[in-house]
DNA sequence: CGATTGTCGTTCGAATTTGAACGACAACTC
DNA sequence: GAGTTGTCGTTCAAATTCGAACGACAATCG
């Protein structure tokens, strides 16, 4: 630890590019969603995950893990979505402690309405600018890091 | 817009991997910095940018652009760093509206102390897991998106 | 020069995030 | 089955974020 391995120019460039890009893209997505539907990005992600889930429902903790936010942040955001009528809460049948977040019909409609614009942003700034090889390389790279981070905690 | 181009399986995998990984890594970095030095990630980035800058100083707006936070967030964080004695504010000689954030000697020392641990996290979860080709591919990909985002606003 | 237009950094209010603490229930162990 | 340990989701306080509005100064153009 007394002689840390610094990042060389290539590594530094990679890290800075990743860092800036992820923040810039996040900002842009947030802006688009807010303007188009009054949704935050975490809120949108919650809707997407629920729509993909069986019964259009998920346990709170599982949902938090998927969206990558703290449990308390998820509690708050599901509350917001509930107020908006896009999500409902049910007590889990198999576990009385548990809560199931369920996507409502209105939630489905909202998602259908909003998704195209969102996908368009992701496409136009990221996906469509990358070759198939770059896309694969990025996925591989991201997965390695994701696995490391998920298993280390 | 009536027939949006959805993401196919490969594209979806790429996007989800990128999204989750960036959030997970951000969380891990935040945790490490807080534990090691009581710094937030934006605060650390401010110190790094200033250390790299001529005269160890930068204009507020330029700094905000570099770190990718809003101007108001930067005002707040520079205030925090000023309280901690790591940064000072100077009025810009060439422009009376402007403010220069300057890294203090203590700021330099703090950075020297904290940087190794931070780099270690970036290395062990991201950089060291990628081959040279993957590193290059990621950099290229990120740069394309970054350029697009920076020039579109 | 005087007026307009633009940029700079700050302030403000509202919204959001996080970790810690908590009560309720589940899963094991003996 | 009682006791212990662990998990689930929520609540709370504190910190941080953002955009909009603002006053101060700069730059441009007549």
């Amino acid at each position: 630890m007394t002689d840390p391995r610094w990042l060389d120019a290539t590594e530094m460039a990679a890290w800075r590019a990743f860092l800036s890009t992820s923040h810039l893209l996040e900002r842009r997505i947030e802006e688009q969603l807010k303007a188009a539907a009054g949704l935050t990005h975490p809120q949108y992600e919650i809707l997407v995950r629920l729509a993909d889930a069986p019964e259009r429902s998920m346990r709170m903790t599982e949902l938090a893990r998927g969206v990558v936010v703290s449990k308390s942040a998820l509690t708050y955001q599901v509350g917001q979505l509930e107020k908006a009528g896009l999500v409902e809460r049910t007590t889990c049948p198999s576990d009385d402690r548990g809560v199931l977040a369920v996507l409502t019909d209105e939630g489905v409609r909202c998602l259908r309405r909003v998704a195209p614009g969102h996908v368009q942003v992701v496409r136009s700034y990221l996906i469509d600018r990358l070759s198939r090889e770059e896309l694969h390389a990025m996925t591989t790279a991201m997965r390695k890091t994701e696995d490391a981070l998920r298993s280390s905690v």
Side-chain angles (χ1 to χ4, degrees), chain A:
Chain A
M1 201 73 62
T2 53
D3 182 22
R5 289 166 51 227
W6 294 108
L7 301 180
D8 66 29
T10 303
E11 293 165 339
M12 191 60 142
W15 171 234
R16 291 224 164 153
F18 175 78
L19 197 56
S20 297
T21 301
S22 64
H23 288 158
L24 285 165
L25 192 48
E26 191 65 49
R27 272 168 145 314
R28 187 100 188 81
I29 287 171
E30 203 81 46
E31 178 191 16
Q32 191 273 329
L33 284 172
K34 192 82 76 183
L39 289 175
T40 65
H41 192 197
Q43 283 169 5
Y44 177 83
E45 283 297 316
I46 290 169
L47 299 184
V48 171
R49 300 271 169 174
L50 289 179
D52 284 354
E55 314 283 330
R56 299 192 327 207
S57 68
M58 271 197 220
R59 291 288 292 273
M60 294 294 278
T61 297
E62 188 193 2
L63 197 45
R65 243 188 271 281
V67 178
V68 189
V69 289
S70 66
K71 288 188 297 173
S72 44
L74 185 72
T75 294
Y76 175 76
Q77 290 296 7
V78 167
Q80 296 301 107
L81 291 171
E82 210 174 11
K83 275 191 214 165
L86 307 178
V87 162
E88 278 174 359
R89 271 182 234 244
T90 312
T91 51
C92 179
S94 61
D95 186 342
D96 279 351
R97 295 168 303 177
V99 172
L100 281 174
V102 188
L103 193 62
T104 65
D105 291 345
E106 196 181 336
V108 174
R109 281 194 296 272
C110 173
L111 196 50
R112 265 201 253 279
R113 198 168 54 240
V114 177
H118 171 75
V119 170
Q120 179 56 25
V121 171
V122 175
R123 264 204 180 289
S124 64
Y125 287 106
L126 183 68
I127 302 293
D128 282 352
R129 294 181 185 270
L130 275 43
S131 70
R132 217 64 188 174
E133 291 79 26
E134 286 169 339
L135 210 62
H136 268 110
M138 189 185 80
T139 307
T140 313
M142 294 295 102
R143 284 240 182 90
K144 288 178 184 174
T145 297
E146 181 177 0
D147 291 348
L149 283 161
R150 291 215 189 261
S151 62
S152 81
V153 181

